[in-house]
Amino acid sequence: MEDLRAVQGLILSGGASRRMGQAKGLLRLKEHNLLTLAVQSFQPYCSSVTIVTGAHTEQLMDAVDAADSPVQWIHARGWRQGMRASLRAGIQGTPQ
């Protein structure tokens, strides 16, 4: 059986969410925000989890409890250019 822990998780959370009015990752579902739930769902299957931020970097970093969910953070400076810029930043910054 293949070792799934060799897979690296990448979560794109760099958009401004203008229509939503706040970062989608900060929305709550029961006792957790969506970003924390995404990280927790990746962890059993991934050797590392990287979150790419853009518009709401500080709020997103504050929302994920690093003790419970260790992640790598990457800020996509070109996030205003769209999802492709965030994906590029995430791929370039993901551990090899």
Side-chain angles (χ1 to χ4, degrees), residues 5 10-11 15 24 26-27 30 32-33 38 50-52 55-57 61-62 67-68 78 87 95:
R5 298 286 298 174
L10 182 62
I11 299 172
K24 295 177 188 101
L26 298 177
L27 296 174
K30 299 186 181 182
H32 298 289
N33 60 60
T50 300
I51 300 173
V52 180
H56 304 282
T57 299
M61 290 179 80
D62 289 343
D68 290 338
L87 182 59

Side-chain angles (χ1 to χ4, degrees), residues 1 5 14 22 30 37 46-48 50 53 57 61 66 69 77:
M1 182 158 176
R5 298 286 298 174
Q22 69 172 353
K30 299 186 181 182
L37 292 172
C46 299
S47 59
S48 66
T50 300
T53 65
T57 299
M61 290 179 80
S69 305
R77 289 177 292 204

Side-chain angles (χ1 to χ4, degrees), residues 15-28 34 56:
S17 301
R18 286 185 299 276
R19 293 176 296 191
M20 182 68 65
Q22 69 172 353
K24 295 177 188 101
L26 298 177
L27 296 174
R28 306 233 18 120
L34 294 180
H56 304 282

Side-chain angles (χ1 to χ4, degrees), residues 1-9 42-48:
M1 182 158 176
E2 189 175 336
D3 181 17
L4 295 178
R5 298 286 298 174
V7 174
Q8 298 173 3
F42 276 47
Q43 286 179 327
Y45 307 104
C46 299
S47 59
S48 66

Side-chain angles (χ1 to χ4, degrees), residues 25-26 28 33 35-36 57-66 73:
L26 298 177
R28 306 233 18 120
N33 60 60
L35 186 55
T36 297
T57 299
E58 290 181 24
Q59 297 99 323
L60 293 168
M61 290 179 80
D62 289 343
V64 175
D65 184 355
W73 294 92

